[in-house]
C-alpha cells in the first residue's frame, strides 16, 4: 500500500521553511514518542544542517516507557544528536525542551532568541506552544493538518517561538512506515484504508502487547491467533455489524485504531530501536 497525502499547504510550508530556517537560532523537532524514527521528516534533516536541533519525543505518556528509554539511548549514541522525551501538555516539560535548546545557543541577552517548532502533522507542536505560552494561542486537534500557517509567539525572557504546519512528503514509503504513520494519526483519514491499518495494528498488538490487549478486551478470553480473528471479535463485541449480523471489518478496525490512538489499550510503541536493526 502506498499512501499519498500532500495537501497544498504542505508544499507552501516547505518553501517557506527553506527561507525561514536561516533566521532562527534553534529547532525543536517534535516527534511522536511511539514512532520516533517514522515520524522524523527527512526534510527537517536537510534544512537544519548546522543549526542546533533537539529531537523531542512528545506524547511520552502514550508510549511504552521501556521503549522510550531505549530510544533515548539510541539517539544518545548518534553523533550530533540530542533528544529528550516529554508530555507536551505539561508546561514544565515543554519548558524542559525549550530550555535545553536555549542553553545550547550562544546567547546575547539583548537579542531575541528565535526557536522554531517543526515536525510532521499531529505530533503536538501547537500543544507545546500553548503549554509554553500558558494559554491557548494555537488551535489544536486530534486530526492531522490543524495548523495551516506559521505563527510567531513572544514568550518571556526575550524568546520568540515559531509554530509551523506539520509537513509530510508526497509519497510515503516504504509500506511499513506508511502503516505506522497512518496508525498513529499523522495521515488524514481520507487517505487511508481503515481495514489495512486495523489489520496492521492488530498484528502488532498480538505480537508485542498481548497482555494489554487481553486487559482491554476481556471478552477475548484467549489471545487470538491472528489479526483477522482479533478484529472480528472486537467487531462482534462492539456491535460493528452489517445486515445479517456479519461483522463490519471496516468499522471494527476503526474502533481498534481509535482506542489505540487515544491510549485506551495502554502505552504502546509502533516501532522500537530493535526494529531498525532488523530493517537494516
Ligand atoms: N496524550 C497526549 N496527547 C498530546 C500530547 N501533545 C499533544 N497531544 C494531542 O495530540 C493532538 C495533536 O496536537 P496538536 O498540537 O494539534 O499537533 P500539531 O503537531 O500541532 O498538529 P498539526 O498542526 O496538524 O501539524 C491533540 O489532540 C493534542 O491534544 C501529549 O504529550 N500527550
Ligand atoms: Mg499545529
Amino acid at each position: 500500500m502506498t499512501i499519498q497525502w500532500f495537501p497544498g499547504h504542505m508544499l507552501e510550508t516547505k518553501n517557506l521553511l527553506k527561507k525561514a530556517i536561516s533566521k532562527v537560532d534553534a529547532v525543536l523537532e517534535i516527534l511522536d514518542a511511539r514512532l520516533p524514527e517514522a515520524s522524523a521528516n527527512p526534510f527537517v534533516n536537510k534544512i537544519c544542517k548546522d543549526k542546533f536541533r533537539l529531537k523531542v519525543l512528545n506524547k511520552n505518556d502514550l508510549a511504552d516507557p521501556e521503549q522510550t528509554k531505549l530510544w533515548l539511548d539510541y539517539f544518545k549514541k548518534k553523533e550530533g544528536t540530542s533528544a529528550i522525551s516529554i508530555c507536551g501538555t505539561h508546561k514544565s516539560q515543554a519548558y524542559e525542551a525549550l530550555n535545553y535548546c536555549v542553553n545550547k545557543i550562544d546567547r546575547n541577552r539583548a537579542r531575541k532568541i528565535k526557536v522554531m517548532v517543526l515536525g510532521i502533522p499531529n505530533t503536538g507542536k501547537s500543544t507545546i506552544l500553548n503549554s509554553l505560552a500558558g494559554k491557548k494561542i494555537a488551535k489544536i486537534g486530534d486530526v492531522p493538518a490543524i495548523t495551516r500557517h506559521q505563527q510567531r509567539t513572544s514568550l518571556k525572557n526575550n524568546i520568540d517561538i515559531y509554530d509551523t504546519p506539520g509537513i509530510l512528503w508526497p509519497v510515503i514509503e516504504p509500506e511499513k512506515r506508511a502503516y505506522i504513520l497512518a496508525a498513529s494519526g499523522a495521515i488524514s483519514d481520507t487517505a487511508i484504508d481503515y481495514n489495512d491499518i486495523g489489520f496492521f495494528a492488530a498484528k502488532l498488538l498480538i505480537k508485542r502487547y498481548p497482555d494489554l490487549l487481553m486487559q482491554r478486551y476481556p471478552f477475548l478470553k484467549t489471545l487470538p491467533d491472528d489479526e483477522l480473528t482479533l478484529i472480528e471479535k472486537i467487531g462482534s463485541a462492539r456491535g460493528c455489524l452489517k445486515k445479517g449480523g456479519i461483522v463490519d471489518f471496516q468499522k471494527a478496525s476503526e474502533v481498534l485504531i481509535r482506542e489505540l490512538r487515544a491510549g485506551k489499550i495502554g502505552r504502546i510503541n509502533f516501532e522500537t530501536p530493535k526494529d531498525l536493526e532488523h530493517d537494516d
Side-chain angles (χ1 to χ4, degrees), residues 91-199:
K91 186 173 183 170
S92 61
Q93 295 188 33
Y95 266 98
E96 219 178 290
L98 180 66
N99 292 338
Y100 192 123
C101 247
V102 169
N103 290 334
K104 293 283 176 187
I105 301 167
D106 202 8
R107 187 166 191 193
N108 168 359
R109 291 217 166 247
R111 184 177 71 82
K112 272 207 173 206
I113 284 197
K114 295 176 184 168
V115 177
M116 185 174 263
V117 183
L118 290 179
I120 64 163
N122 207 14
T123 51
K125 298 176 293 301
S126 303
T127 301
I128 291 171
L129 167 73
N130 289 343
S131 294
L132 291 170
K135 57 185 169 191
K136 191 174 172 239
I137 285 183
K139 193 172 159 196
I140 64 160
D142 64 359
V143 290
I146 292 278
T147 305
R148 294 295 174 123
H149 303 284
Q150 179 178 277
Q151 181 178 11
R152 175 171 62 90
T153 303
S154 294
L155 302 174
K156 286 180 201 151
N157 297 328
N158 231 6
I159 298 169
D160 273 358
I161 188 128
Y162 293 77
D163 184 23
T164 61
I167 42 167
L168 283 165
W169 45 99
V171 180
I172 300 169
E173 288 171 326
E175 189 177 68
K176 189 177 167 197
R177 189 174 197 179
Y179 280 128
I180 291 175
L181 287 168
S184 76
I187 295 172
S188 168
D189 284 356
T190 56
I192 65 172
D193 178 343
Y194 265 109
N195 263 328
D196 287 345
I197 310 304
F199 277 71

